[in-house]
Amino acid sequence: FELERLGVHDSVEAVFPPSELADFLADLPLEVGVIGDDEIAACDAVVTLEYREAFLEVDWVHSIQAGVDRFPFDEFEADDVVLTNSTGIHDRWVGETVAGYLLSFARRLHDHVANQQERRWDQPEWDEGFTLSGTTACVLGTGTLGSGVAEVLGSLGVRVTGVRRSAAPVPGFEEVYATEDLLEAVADADFVIVTLPLTDETRHLVDADVFEAMRGDAYFVNVGRGPVVDEAALIDALESGTIEGAALDVFETEPLPEESPLWELDEVIVTPHCAAFTEDYFRAIGDIVHENVSRLESGEEFYNRVV
Ligand code: NDP
């Protein structure tokens, strides 16, 4: 197909100003503009955060996220619409967020911030603080996110193991387990960190059995997708003391409902699906779009093609 008009869908606003990306792409040999829902049909290609049914009318849709679980692959395929995603850019961004969670738990920073809101001078118990050096983290998913987490935590002296569909080794992971050995993989870890995509296989992969297999003093982190975790089982595990705490960026329902007990549980850090937010986000997306426009021109396969 020929590209004449590329629209930056206004849903990307949740992550960066759409006009920043449109300006970044202004040197492309096509018309680029910020569009709302009623202008989708007039485009050949769309860059977007959210899904819209009208996307089935265009030739190419680029997701600014790595996770494309909300897009109907079968319908894209049936209507000959190319879908590309943004895996490959979030490694250090999410890795540093995860390091922040772990440092908060180890150095009690979340307690101090909470105390500061109340003007309360309250030192931790003598045995509450610990250091990350020498601890072990088991990372579920060894792709872009998992490798970024392994790299940043590795630099803090954390021993990192991984879980993927096969047990084949991955650089940065001291040991790799296959998914069927998940319970064994999490058993000795101080931290269990989910960086998995949501698929039929990963939905509720982390359930009560996994929390039961974890150490009682272990922390759980989810920066992948909410439904990979049985959230009711997680809440039970936290309330019963089966595990020590959790840091969560993604949830079964987003925004996290006001009545969720996760907001108020001790030793739980809640962040609003922003583990990868950075001022550089639009540039990284712009680079992927540039790459794919030039591949289209030279007849090469799309980079990061999903459908
Ligand atoms: P990648 O494709 O690079 O990595 C996915 C990893 O998951 C691979 O290591 C793959 O291993 C593993 N995997 C897939 N299925 C299974 C399974 N059934 N059992 C065990 N391992 C499995 O993706 P990214 O790292 O870029 O992104 C991962 C997900 O993280 C995204 O899909 C998105 O949902 C989420 N995300 C969240 C962000 C946030 O802001 N919180 C930001 C960016 C991404 P293998 O193929 O070897 O089995």
Side-chain angles (χ1 to χ4, degrees):
F1 55 86
E2 288 257 328
L3 270 191
E4 279 173 21
R5 184 146 202 265
L6 181 144
V8 177
H9 190 249
D10 55 15
S11 62
V12 307
E13 177 80 52
V15 184
F16 53 74
S19 59
E20 292 281 352
L21 178 59
D23 290 349
F24 189 84
L25 296 174
D27 62 333
L28 287 175
L30 39 111
E31 197 189 324
V32 178
V34 178
I35 58 157
D37 284 346
D38 49 347
E39 292 149 293
I40 295 169
C43 296
D44 308 303
V46 176
V47 179
T48 188
L49 172 68
E50 293 175 4
Y51 171 69
R52 296 287 186 271
E53 221 173 289
F55 291 166
L56 297 171
E57 305 298 318
V58 308
D59 293 317
W60 166 35
V61 175
H62 180 74
S63 159
I64 68 160
Q65 293 185 305
V68 279
D69 44 89
R70 287 175 301 175
F71 291 77
F73 295 176
D74 292 349
E75 291 172 43
F76 271 63
E77 181 133 24
D79 289 356
D80 255 342
V81 184
V82 172
L83 175 65
T84 52
N85 75 0
S86 300
T87 189
I89 64 175
H90 309 98
D91 46 0
R92 292 289 305 198
W93 307 341
V94 173
E96 290 185 9
T97 300
V98 170
Y101 297 143
L102 268 52
L103 287 166
S104 287
F105 291 133
R107 309 311 307 150
R108 314 309 301 160
L109 304 181
H110 59 309
D111 284 343
H112 304 323
V113 172
N115 286 333
Q116 185 181 352
Q117 310 301 313
E118 318 270 319
R119 297 177 174 264
R120 193 167 54 222
W121 182 273
D122 194 1
Q123 292 182 321
E125 295 296 320
W126 68 274
D127 59 353
E128 273 186 87
F130 58 99
T131 57
L132 291 185
S133 178
T135 60
T136 300
C138 175
V139 181
L140 279 50
T142 56
T144 298
L145 253 61
S147 296
V149 167
E151 185 182 317
V152 181
L153 294 186
S155 70
L156 291 165
V158 178
R159 179 180 172 268
V160 183
T161 65
V163 178
R164 61 187 300 203
R165 281 169 288 193
S166 78
V170 182
F173 295 86
E174 280 197 26
E175 210 171 330
V176 175
Y177 296 82
T179 319
E180 58 260 30
D181 298 322
L182 177 59
L183 297 185
E184 185 194 335
V186 302
D188 295 325
D190 299 273
F191 303 98
V192 172
I193 302 167
V194 173
T195 68
L196 291 168
L198 176 61
T199 65
D200 291 342
E201 285 169 44
T202 63
R203 187 177 296 274
H204 280 203
L205 180 68
V206 178
D207 57 10
D209 291 345
V210 174
F211 297 121
E212 205 55 56
M214 285 169 60
R215 280 170 38 177
D217 61 352
Y219 288 87
F220 177 74
V221 175
N222 188 4
V223 288
R225 278 292 178 270
V228 172
V229 178
D230 179 344
E231 201 168 281
L234 169 62
I235 292 167
D236 278 351
L238 290 163
E239 287 179 336
S240 64
T242 305
I243 62 172
E244 182 71 24
L248 307 165
D249 189 53
V250 289
F251 303 88
E252 287 199 320
T253 304
E254 293 178 14
L256 182 63
E258 213 184 310
E259 63 277 11
S260 171
L262 291 169
W263 287 111
E264 290 202 321
L265 281 174
D266 284 345
E267 291 300 283
V268 172
I269 296 175
V270 168
T271 54
H273 199 150
C274 60
F277 277 31
T278 157
E279 59 180 358
D280 295 323
Y281 207 113
F282 76 90
R283 288 187 203 91
I285 299 299
D287 288 342
I288 298 176
V289 174
H290 268 121
E291 171 70 22
N292 271 331
V293 169
S294 75
R295 286 190 182 205
L296 183 66
E297 279 168 355
S298 60
E300 286 170 80
E301 179 56 282
F302 279 89
Y303 172 73
N304 273 1
R305 183 166 182 174
V306 181
V307 177

